[in-house]
Amino acid sequence: MKDLRIQGLKKSPWVFHVAAASCNNCDIEILDLITPRFDVERFGIVLVGSPRHADALLVTGVLNRKSLPRVLRVYEQTPKPCLVIGIGSCTCDIHIFKNSYNVVGPYGKHLPVDVFIPGCPPKPEAMILGIVKALSKL
Ligand code: SF4
């Protein structure tokens, strides 16, 4: 049963977008993914409205004291196995807010991130490549 689910997940991953504390540029690039130009639905990648329906989380922005518990709650609500894909340099811990008093450290310390996609913001093509890479880890 688990093998069947992983096979289905590879063919059509449903993704939930989590904006931790981003500047919104990464989020706008994620929206580009579902526009007719990139149209990721042709690969079966569907943006869903609830983490309970998702196979993968697309996380943007830095983790700070306020966003951390919310991001962890979303992760807990997502059925496992679930992929976590960090979008943008903020998730890679190379960002302008690094020494800010409110930032609680790198993602790897708090969440099992499968793939990081650097860029400020990364291009939609890079995001598609990152999602495919994450799927190949299953
Ligand atoms: S990586 Fe850049 S574009 Fe993305 S949320 Fe961080 S500052 Fe904004």
Side-chain angles (χ1 to χ4, degrees):
M1 187 66 186
K2 195 179 172 193
D3 288 349
L4 204 63
R5 179 170 151 65
I6 288 177
Q7 207 177 353
L9 199 157
K10 278 182 171 177
K11 289 219 182 284
S12 177
W14 286 15
V15 297
F16 182 74
H17 171 201
V18 190
S22 63
C23 73
N24 273 356
N25 276 341
C26 283
D27 310 293
I28 289 167
E29 294 299 325
I30 288 175
L31 287 182
D32 275 353
L33 290 177
I34 53 172
T35 59
R37 179 157 185 210
F38 296 100
D39 190 20
V40 289
E41 286 197 17
R42 71 198 146 116
F43 304 124
I45 302 168
V46 180
L47 205 57
V48 291
S50 165
R52 294 181 200 281
H53 301 158
D55 304 305
L57 298 176
L58 299 181
V59 196
T60 61
V62 290
L63 283 177
N64 60 30
R65 286 181 216 287
K66 198 165 181 177
S67 66
L68 177 64
R70 286 156 180 86
V71 172
L72 291 179
R73 189 151 176 228
V74 169
Y75 178 71
E76 279 163 20
Q77 290 174 343
T78 311
K80 311 296 178 297
C82 114
L83 294 167
V84 182
I85 301 163
I87 307 272
S89 297
C90 280
T91 60
C92 307
D93 206 35
I94 37 173
H95 52 80
I96 55 172
F97 314 106
K98 195 162 183 178
N99 296 319
S100 170
Y101 71 97
N102 205 21
V103 172
V104 289
Y107 270 75
K109 205 170 126 190
H110 305 283
L111 270 180
V113 181
D114 297 285
V115 170
F116 289 101
I117 305 170
C120 188
K123 290 185 169 196
E125 294 93 332
M127 292 185 197
I128 294 170
L129 187 67
I131 294 171
V132 171
K133 260 193 178 170
L135 289 174
S136 68
K137 284 185 94 181
L138 287 172

